[in-house]
Amino acid sequence: MPFVKKAAGPAGRDHGRKEKTAVQLSPVRRIDRVAVQERICAMTFDDGPCRLPASPDHFRGRPLTQVLAEILERYGARGTFNVVGDTSGGYPDKLGKPGSPFWNGAACDHFPAFRQDDQGGAVHCPELISRLLAGGHEIASHSYTHLMFGRTSLLYSSRKCQPSLEAVVADLRRLHKTLEDGWGYPLRLSRPPRCVDVIKNGFTSYDAFALMGYQYLAASFDGAGCLPQSNYQAEVEAAWRPMERLLLEDPDAFRGQIITQQDGFNMACRTPVADGLENQLRLLTDHGYKVVTVSELLERAPFRDVMAESREGRAARRLLRLGWCVAFQDNTLRPDTVLTRGELAMMAFGWETVRRRIEMVRSGRAPFRDMGPRDPYAAAAARAMETGAMSAVNGRFRPEDPVSPAEAAQFCAVRLGRTPPLGTWDHITHGEFFTLIAELLEK
Ligand SMILES: [Zn+2]
């Protein structure tokens, strides 16, 4: 399993600290692939739904989204469709250079194509949303307007983007409400437009998704649906040849992977996915894979680095279901990492302090002398102290310090109403802590 990373080396504590600066525990986990024993994987389709036919059309004029659904169903596969709401609000606009990232609009994206916004999106194509749901496929949020969440790199500097975190959340809410009102369907996963994470004032897509209660839908394998090649045949080949090569090297390579594709046109206004998907599914099926929705994949295997059936995996999953933030932002558990006080606070109080964290960043007021307002665990630490589950001395929380046996006992007594046996350790790892809590909960 090349994707299973051990987080902490022999120098556990130092290593744990170093890792923490790169990635933190987070209510929103970035899901790109998961650790799973079986041959299962998922496929996502962006930017639809699309009522226009495939281009070139080998499917007698049927809407592209319907064509994709039918192909998937023939193989017993279920897709995850990242839909938009309506892109017609982005005019006046003009066409960018064909074959460039601005092929469908210079200032905004227009789906399925420039001046044809009424042929795409959940608002204009409710029949396609109904068709997807009837086929057992999953719908995820790709935002209502597909405006980028914030301004990024030079390439996109001339594009329109959302002006604030509020605007991003309002846009996500609009699509959420569309699916809820129209189909009683609760969206749970989201991928930011053009995968841009920055939001004005130092926020990120993780903040927006936390406010929505979403998980971050990323991907681990590019189904090559976006970039144009010299001709259509080359584009279709690009959709499945790399997959074939990888499976020849290692038939297990796609276990737990999330493959991305387009439910729409590529930059050259063609839809190689319509002819490439069948080959992909045949390859995967021949190798014993089942293609499931991302939610089903997560149901079977929630984490990136630890199997759900392992002792630590079982314990962590139990806590996850109770609303604990057990995983890091990259969806790893890093069970060998030493548990710090900041992490302990975040695990238990991360979800309930999502809004408070954002208010803290805005106000610039620090809750502790050693935790700034932008510290990712500051709000959770403040809450942990208020509940009596944790303590601070002289206005210092000591977020980087390892959790002591006495601190673990205090935390468990207050948060769970049960006290673990006081050990004599000088630190406890994340994995040891999960199993300790799971044992306590069983008593
Ligand atoms: Zn997109």
Side-chain angles (χ1 to χ4, degrees):
M1 291 165 289
F3 52 94
V4 174
K5 278 184 266 172
K6 281 251 171 186
R13 181 172 171 192
D14 290 347
H15 200 104
R17 273 192 181 183
K18 198 169 125 252
E19 291 278 334
K20 200 167 86 64
T21 54
V23 61
Q24 69 237 17
L25 289 178
S26 164
V28 177
R29 297 132 55 211
R30 187 175 192 277
I31 316 292
D32 58 359
R33 66 179 302 173
V34 291
V36 67
Q37 203 77 56
E38 312 151 81
R39 289 191 182 168
I40 53 172
C41 63
M43 280 185 174
T44 65
F45 300 86
D46 281 13
D47 302 333
C50 171
R51 192 189 283 133
L52 294 178
S55 162
D57 178 22
H58 303 139
F59 306 89
R60 285 171 291 153
R62 294 211 295 293
L64 177 67
T65 303
Q66 187 189 330
V67 168
L68 300 181
E70 285 168 3
I71 298 170
L72 285 163
E73 288 155 23
R74 266 212 303 286
Y75 285 83
R78 298 290 174 264
T80 298
F81 288 77
N82 273 320
V83 307
V84 298
D86 170 23
T87 56
S88 67
Y91 297 99
D93 199 353
K94 52 185 195 305
L95 260 178
K97 208 170 137 238
S100 81
F102 312 105
W103 67 276
N104 62 342
C108 300
D109 285 304
H110 298 283
F111 294 121
F114 193 74
R115 293 255 173 252
Q116 297 192 77
D117 311 69
D118 59 345
Q119 298 299 310
V123 173
H124 301 290
C125 306
E127 78 285 1
L128 291 175
I129 299 289
S130 299
R131 172 66 187 82
L132 289 173
L133 292 176
H137 305 285
E138 176 164 35
I139 310 283
S141 168
H142 199 31
S143 86
Y144 192 91
T145 56
H146 204 274
L147 270 191
M148 289 186 298
F149 286 0
R151 201 161 290 296
T152 180
S153 79
L154 233 47
L155 175 65
Y156 289 140
S157 64
S158 60
R159 290 213 35 115
K160 252 200 191 162
C161 63
Q162 297 288 8
S164 63
L165 176 63
E166 290 78 21
V168 171
V169 172
D171 184 271
L172 291 170
R173 285 227 168 91
R174 212 170 158 198
L175 183 62
H176 193 95
K177 194 171 169 353
T178 303
L179 269 291
E180 207 165 58
D181 292 352
W183 294 269
Y185 188 86
L187 290 168
R188 290 197 187 93
L189 299 163
S190 183
R191 175 175 294 161
R194 299 203 176 222
C195 296
V196 169
D197 282 333
V198 290
I199 296 178
K200 215 175 161 190
N201 293 325
F203 294 111
T204 68
S205 45
Y206 292 88
D207 295 306
F209 293 162
L211 287 167
M212 294 299 297
Y214 289 167
Q215 293 302 318
Y216 189 129
L217 176 51
S220 52
F221 188 86
D222 185 1
C226 218
L227 284 176
Q229 310 269 349
S230 53
N231 61 67
Y232 183 67
Q233 208 40 51
E235 287 168 357
V236 174
E237 298 246 331
W240 61 273
R241 285 276 186 216
M243 186 179 272
E244 183 186 53
R245 268 197 298 276
L246 196 51
L247 283 168
L248 269 174
E249 268 169 41
D250 175 10
D252 278 326
F254 281 91
R255 283 189 310 172
Q257 291 232 45
I258 298 177
I259 301 159
T260 75
Q261 323 246 27
Q262 291 296 110
D263 178 9
F265 299 101
N266 68 8
M267 293 177 194
C269 285
R270 295 187 287 251
T271 56
V273 62
D275 285 303
L277 181 59
E278 177 113 29
N279 288 336
Q280 294 178 343
L281 289 165
R282 193 177 300 132
L283 274 168
L284 289 169
T285 314
D286 285 352
H287 285 81
Y289 281 87
K290 192 166 169 12
V291 179
V292 298
T293 63
V294 173
S295 282
E296 188 178 341
L297 189 66
L298 283 174
E299 199 48 47
R300 300 216 209 162
F303 308 115
R304 193 182 208 281
D305 58 341
V306 174
M307 297 277 180
E309 301 79 20
S310 69
R311 192 158 172 251
E312 287 149 339
R314 277 203 315 273
R317 167 146 58 183
R318 178 145 187 205
L319 292 175
L320 189 72
R321 285 181 175 156
L322 291 173
W324 288 49
C325 302
V326 289
F328 288 86
Q329 211 169 50
D330 62 359
N331 198 28
T332 55
L333 288 181
R334 307 182 184 216
D336 300 333
T337 307
V338 171
L339 181 68
T340 66
R341 286 170 45 84
E343 287 164 354
L344 177 61
M346 188 65 185
M347 265 185 202
F349 299 102
W351 267 120
E352 66 182 83
T353 52
V354 162
R355 200 164 290 278
R356 186 168 177 178
R357 189 190 100 72
I358 286 155
E359 282 158 15
M360 220 172 243
V361 171
R362 287 221 174 92
S363 73
R365 272 197 297 274
F368 299 103
R369 283 161 68 194
D370 54 356
M371 284 180 110
R374 282 189 183 274
D375 187 304
Y377 304 151
R383 181 82 194 122
M385 199 185 75
E386 284 162 12
T387 63
M390 297 182 76
S391 312
V393 178
N394 294 332
R396 293 184 191 277
F397 191 79
R398 296 181 291 110
E400 303 276 330
D401 281 7
V403 173
S404 73
E407 287 165 345
Q410 175 189 346
F411 174 89
C412 292
V414 172
R415 187 73 168 77
L416 307 169
R418 276 160 248 201
T419 316
L422 271 180
T424 49
W425 33 273
D426 58 9
H427 64 246
I428 187 166
T429 65
H430 285 229
E432 289 163 349
F433 183 72
F434 297 147
T435 37
L436 176 82
I437 297 280
E439 277 165 22
L440 266 188
L441 288 174
E442 261 146 42
K443 278 180 190 158

